Amino acid sequence: MNRKQPIFYLCSDALGDTAEMVVKATMQQFAVDEVNIKRYHYIQTEEEIYALILDAQENGGIVAYTLVEPNLREVMKRSAIEHDVQAIDIIGPLMQAYIDTFNDSPKEMPGLQYELDAKYYNRIEAIDFAVKYDDGKNIGGLLAADIVLVGVSRTSKTPLSIYLAHKGIKVANLPLIPGIAPPSEIFTLQNTLIVGLTMDPNHLLKVRTERLKVIGLPNTTSYTEYEPVKSELNYGNMIMKQLMCPVINVSNKSIEEAAVEILGLMNKK
Amino acid sequence: MNRKQPIFYLCSDALGDTAEMVVKATMQQFAVDEVNIKRYHYIQTEEEIYALILDAQENGGIVAYTLVEPNLREVMKRSAIEHDVQAIDIIGPLMQAYIDTFNDSPKEMPGLQYELDAKYYNRIEAIDFAVKYDDGKNIGGLLAADIVLVGVSRTSKTPLSIYLAHKGIKVANLPLIPGIAPPSEIFTLQNTLIVGLTMDPNHLLKVRTERLKVIGLPNTTSYTEYEPVKSELNYGNMIMKQLMCPVINVSNKSIEEAAVEILGLMNKK
C-alpha cells in the first residue's frame, strides 16, 4: 500500500475546507509532491458515509472529516473501524473540549461557517476595497483605509493587501516610484497605520527576474539590474523615513508571516 | 468557569493559522459571538510551552496546537494533563494516520507550509493577475485567463476571482453593463472557462442596498430599484446565453460555496 499515491478523502456536511487545510498543512511534513484529494461534501446521510468508506478501503486512503451531526459522526467512526480505514475527526475533539470546559452545547447545524452575516459582507467589502485601491489608484483609498502599505514594485504589496482584507481590514497600497513624489495626503494621515515594505536588493532582484520569466518578458530592463534596484530601494527607504512608519523587511518572508507582523503592529497602536 | 468569555490558546512552531481555522470553524457551532484568541507562535522550547499552559490554566482556556517536533508534542501533552488543561493536537492525529497507513516518516521541520516554492509564487502571481484584470480593465486579461467570470454589478465577481486566485488559478472578470457591449474577444475564447454569475432580482436589490449603506451613499439610484435591476439582470442573462456559458445563481451562496461549483465546472472541462 505504501507505494501508491496517498489519497485523502475529505468528508464534510459543508464544503470540507477546514479538513482540506489540515490535510495540506499535515502533508507539508512529508516528502510527497502531490496529494490526491477526493472531496465528499454536503454529506447528509449514513449511506453516503458507507459509500465513502468502501471507496477509501478499496483505495487505501485516509479519511479526514468534519461532521457536526452526532449520529453521522458515530456512523463514520463505527464504519471506519469495521472496514479498517483510518478516519480522523478534525473538529470533533475541539468541540468536545469546549463542551467539557464551558458546559455549552453545539447548534449541530452544518455550514454555519459560511453564514452570510454582517461579518461576511464586511470581509467582501474589504476585498473589494483592496482591489479598488491597489497600486495607489485613488487618493480616496489612502484616506479611507485602516492600513496603507508602501514599497517599491514587487515587495508584495498587493497579495498582502488582499490577505489582510480577508480578515476584514481595509488596506490600500501605494507604490514608491523614484521620480514620482507620493501624494502629499499620505504625510497627513492621522489614524491610519502606514507600513513600509522593503527587501534586500539581491532578493528583490531574484523576485523580479522570476516574475519576468513567469509573465514571459525578456530580462533586459533596469528593473532587474543590481545598481538601479538598489537605488530604487534606497529611495523607498528614504520616503519611509519621512513617513516615520514601521518598516518590514519581507525578504524570505511569506505573505502569511508578514501579515502576522502587520497585525502585531495594528494591535500595538 | 463557564461564565467567562472562552479563550483559545493557539500554540504553533510556525504561525498557528491551521489551528486558528479549526478553532473558528468549531466555534461557529456554538452560540458565542466573539472568540478570544491568544496566539503563541514560533514556539521552540519546553519553557514556552510551560508558560502557555500556566496561562491557560489560570484563565480556564483551551489549547489548540500544531507542533511537529515529537518532543514538544510530548511536553505539551504531559504538561496539559498535569495542569488539568484541555489541549487538542490539530495535525498530530492525521500525521499519525498517514505514518501508519503509508509507512512514511515526517520531516519534522516547522513552517514548511510557508515554503517560498514555485507553487507559492504561482499563487502570488494569480492574485496579482486577478487584481490587475478585475472589472474588465484590460482585454489582455480575458485572453490570458484560465477562467473569466461575467455578471452585472455586485454578483460577487471580484471576491470570487480573488478566492480562486488563492488556488493558483488565473481569473479575470468582466462586468455586464446594459448599453455597453462586451468586447468581441470574449465570444472567441477557446480554452477559457467562462462562467456567468446571476442572482434573483430581490437578492441583488438587497445586496446593493446593503452596500450603499456600508459605503455611506444615499439609496436613490436605479441601482437599487426593482424594475431597472430586473432588466439589468435580463440583459446579463441574454449575454450569457450568447456566450453559451454555464450560469451560477449566487443568491444566498457564499464565495466558498460558489467557488466549489466553479472548480467542479473546471474539472469537467
Side-chain angles (χ1 to χ4, degrees):
Chain A
M1 193 136 56
N2 53 352
R3 292 266 151 250
K4 276 195 198 171
Q5 193 191 17
I7 306 180
F8 282 87
Y9 289 78
L10 305 186
C11 173
S12 174
D13 40 30
L15 292 174
D17 276 4
T18 309
E20 184 176 348
M21 187 172 177
V22 176
V23 166
K24 286 191 171 161
T26 304
M27 290 314 294
Q28 291 289 343
Q29 289 301 320
F30 297 91
V32 173
D33 280 341
E34 274 304 322
V35 178
N36 202 338
I37 284 179
K38 226 166 153 178
R39 223 181 240 266
Y40 280 70
H41 47 39
Y42 302 125
I43 294 297
Q44 292 185 313
T45 66
E46 300 186 12
E47 287 67 33
E48 291 169 296
I49 292 177
Y50 295 136
L52 175 155
I53 287 288
L54 287 177
D55 190 351
Q57 184 188 29
E58 199 178 313
N59 294 294
I62 295 172
V63 181
Y65 64 97
T66 50
L67 296 166
V68 301
E69 223 257 284
N71 178 43
L72 292 182
R73 281 155 71 191
E74 266 317 302
V75 169
M76 172 62 88
K77 265 182 234 170
R78 220 180 35 232
S79 174
I81 292 169
E82 255 170 45
H83 292 86
D84 199 20
V85 169
Q86 296 254 22
I88 306 298
D89 187 350
I90 300 293
I91 66 170
L94 202 56
M95 277 180 76
Q96 197 55 52
Y98 181 77
I99 293 167
D100 295 346
T101 309
F102 295 101
N103 240 339
D104 200 352
S105 51
K107 305 183 211 164
E108 292 177 11
M109 278 168 61
L112 290 176
Q113 209 180 341
Y114 306 105
E115 262 188 314
L116 304 180
D117 55 11
K119 232 187 235 169
Y120 174 84
Y121 284 113
N122 216 17
R123 214 160 56 225
I124 298 292
E125 204 57 52
I127 293 170
D128 280 340
F129 185 94
V131 171
K132 192 167 169 196
Y133 296 120
D134 181 60
D135 214 25
K137 254 175 247 148
N138 190 315
I139 301 295
L142 301 180
L143 301 175
D146 302 316
I147 297 178
V148 175
L149 302 178
V150 302
V152 306
S153 168
R154 289 286 113 184
T155 46
S156 62
K157 296 184 298 298
T158 299
L160 251 173
S161 303
I162 297 291
Y163 185 87
L164 292 164
H166 281 289
K167 302 195 177 281
I169 305 166
K170 285 195 281 179
V171 186
N173 74 67
L174 181 71
L176 300 180
I177 307 163
I180 302 176
S184 58
E185 285 83 350
I186 191 147
F187 294 98
T188 63
L189 295 177
Q190 294 296 329
N191 294 310
T192 318
L193 174 66
I194 303 175
V195 179
L197 302 174
T198 192
M199 274 184 186
D200 306 330
N202 280 318
H203 188 80
L204 184 54
L205 270 170
K206 211 186 107 198
V207 168
R208 287 184 173 182
T209 310
E210 276 304 310
R211 162 130 226 259
L212 292 183
K213 244 192 265 167
V214 171
I215 59 177
L217 285 179
N219 183 10
T220 50
T221 66
S222 68
Y223 190 72
T224 52
E225 279 163 20
Y226 187 82
E227 281 308 325
V229 161
K230 203 179 161 194
S231 72
E232 200 182 327
L233 281 167
N234 286 344
Y235 168 80
N237 294 341
M238 185 193 73
I239 299 288
M240 290 171 203
K241 258 192 198 141
Q242 287 175 19
L243 288 166
M244 292 182 291
C245 67
V247 175
I248 296 180
N249 186 326
V250 294
S251 313
N252 293 314
K253 247 176 220 142
S254 71
I255 299 304
E256 290 86 351
E257 289 164 326
V260 165
E261 278 194 47
I262 293 172
L263 292 171
L265 290 169
M266 227 190 151
N267 289 337
K268 259 190 248 157
K269 265 193 57 163
Chain B
M1 195 136 57
N2 53 351
R3 291 267 150 249
K4 277 194 198 171
Q5 194 192 17
I7 306 179
F8 282 87
Y9 289 79
L10 304 186
C11 174
S12 174
D13 41 29
L15 292 175
D17 276 5
T18 309
E20 184 176 348
M21 188 173 177
V22 175
V23 165
K24 286 191 171 163
T26 303
M27 291 313 294
Q28 290 290 342
Q29 289 301 320
F30 298 91
V32 173
D33 280 342
E34 274 304 323
V35 179
N36 202 339
I37 284 180
K38 227 167 152 178
R39 223 181 241 265
Y40 280 69
H41 47 36
Y42 302 124
I43 294 295
Q44 292 185 315
T45 66
E46 299 187 12
E47 287 67 33
E48 292 169 295
I49 292 177
Y50 295 135
L52 174 154
I53 287 287
L54 287 179
D55 190 352
Q57 184 187 30
E58 199 177 312
N59 293 295
I62 295 172
V63 180
Y65 64 96
T66 49
L67 295 166
V68 300
E69 222 257 285
N71 177 43
L72 292 182
R73 281 155 70 190
E74 266 316 304
V75 169
M76 172 62 87
K77 265 183 231 167
R78 220 179 36 231
S79 174
I81 292 169
E82 254 169 46
H83 293 86
D84 200 19
V85 169
Q86 295 254 22
I88 306 298
D89 186 350
I90 301 293
I91 65 170
L94 202 56
M95 276 181 75
Q96 196 55 51
Y98 181 77
I99 292 167
D100 294 347
T101 309
F102 294 101
N103 241 337
D104 200 353
S105 51
K107 304 182 212 163
E108 292 177 13
M109 278 167 61
L112 290 175
Q113 208 179 341
Y114 305 105
E115 264 188 313
L116 304 179
D117 55 10
K119 234 188 232 168
Y120 175 84
Y121 284 112
N122 215 17
R123 214 160 58 226
I124 298 291
E125 204 56 53
I127 293 170
D128 280 339
F129 185 94
V131 171
K132 189 166 171 197
Y133 296 119
D134 182 60
D135 214 26
K137 254 173 250 148
N138 191 316
I139 302 296
L142 301 179
L143 301 176
D146 301 315
I147 297 178
V148 175
L149 302 177
V150 302
V152 306
S153 169
R154 289 286 112 185
T155 46
S156 60
K157 297 184 298 296
T158 299
L160 250 173
S161 304
I162 297 291
Y163 185 87
L164 292 164
H166 281 288
K167 302 195 178 280
I169 305 165
K170 285 194 281 181
V171 186
N173 73 68
L174 181 72
L176 300 179
I177 306 162
I180 301 177
S184 58
E185 284 83 350
I186 190 147
F187 294 98
T188 62
L189 294 178
Q190 295 296 328
N191 294 310
T192 318
L193 173 66
I194 302 175
V195 180
L197 302 174
T198 191
M199 274 185 187
D200 306 331
N202 280 317
H203 188 80
L204 183 54
L205 270 170
K206 212 186 105 200
V207 168
R208 288 184 173 183
T209 310
E210 276 303 309
R211 161 132 226 259
L212 293 184
K213 244 192 267 167
V214 171
I215 59 177
L217 284 179
N219 182 8
T220 52
T221 65
S222 68
Y223 191 71
T224 53
E225 279 163 19
Y226 188 83
E227 281 307 326
V229 162
K230 204 180 159 191
S231 73
E232 200 182 329
L233 281 166
N234 286 345
Y235 168 81
N237 294 339
M238 185 194 74
I239 299 288
M240 291 171 203
K241 258 191 197 142
Q242 286 175 19
L243 288 167
M244 293 182 290
C245 66
V247 175
I248 297 180
N249 186 325
V250 294
S251 313
N252 294 313
K253 248 177 218 141
S254 70
I255 298 304
E256 290 85 351
E257 289 163 325
V260 166
E261 278 193 47
I262 293 172
L263 293 171
L265 290 169
M266 225 188 153
N267 290 336
K268 257 189 247 156
K269 263 192 57 165

